Amino acid sequence: MSGMRRSTNLHGFQHLLVLFLQLFTTATEVLAQEATLRGTELDACTKEALIGATVTYAAGRGAVTDVDGRYTLVLPAGEHRITCSSVGYGTRTEALTVGAGEERTLDMALEQAAVQLDMVVITAGRFEQRVGEVAQSLSVLKP
């Protein structure tokens, strides 16, 4: 009788082991549908890291570079347009195709971009007053 119980327990253990292996294989296949993209964003002139640069592969999907200008993206396998941008720099876009489970590196250098800002009006007062009641003074600051 005890031999029969051991056989049944062993048989149940084998079923659990097969089920676990099937789940593990399925999970591995699902994870393998994604690719990893790493890289560094630099200033094209100075070769310094761009901190806080935005790297995107779709609307609302991407990453921000760290203090060393590095980023890591986990993206679906396939064709993508990787776009990098940062305040004070131009935008750069690269076409890239990645396979499932692939790890790639894409480093980009951005050119500085000078932008002329529109006029800004700054007003200040000690008390809340109507516009018609306040004596207006205007100063123009030239760049």
Side-chain angles (χ1 to χ4, degrees):
M1 181 90 166
S2 68
M4 182 71 147
R5 251 188 255 159
R6 277 193 200 145
S7 172
T8 305
N9 287 342
L10 184 60
H11 187 66
F13 178 73
Q14 288 174 340
H15 280 294
L16 284 174
L17 182 60
V18 169
L19 180 62
F20 175 75
L21 290 174
Q22 287 175 339
L23 288 173
F24 180 74
T25 304
T26 303
T28 303
E29 289 174 4
V30 169
L31 291 175
Q33 300 301 314
E34 296 178 331
T36 303
L37 180 65
R38 291 183 172 85
T40 305
E41 303 305 321
L42 303 173
D43 180 302
C45 295
T46 65
K47 306 300 183 211
E48 290 181 8
L50 292 180
I51 301 168
T54 305
V55 183
T56 59
Y57 64 91
R61 305 280 184 177
V64 176
T65 58
D66 64 12
V67 296
D68 297 318
R70 289 189 229 131
Y71 69 92
T72 300
L73 290 175
V74 176
L75 50 140
E79 296 180 13
H80 298 282
R81 294 181 59 77
I82 310 300
T83 302
C84 180
S85 61
S86 186
V87 175
Y89 292 85
T91 300
R92 184 167 170 193
T93 302
E94 296 281 335
L96 180 72
T97 303
V98 290
E102 185 176 4
E103 291 194 18
R104 296 273 302 266
T105 300
L106 178 63
D107 297 329
M108 287 195 260
L110 297 182
E111 298 284 339
Q112 291 182 5
V115 177
Q116 179 68 34
L117 299 177
D118 290 333
M119 183 182 356
V120 177
V121 177
I122 301 173
T123 59
R126 298 177 99 182
F127 307 102
E128 186 176 323
Q129 295 175 323
R130 295 177 191 247
V131 173
E133 298 173 352
V134 179
Q136 300 291 320
S137 64
L138 177 68
S139 297
V140 177
L141 304 176
K142 296 190 182 209

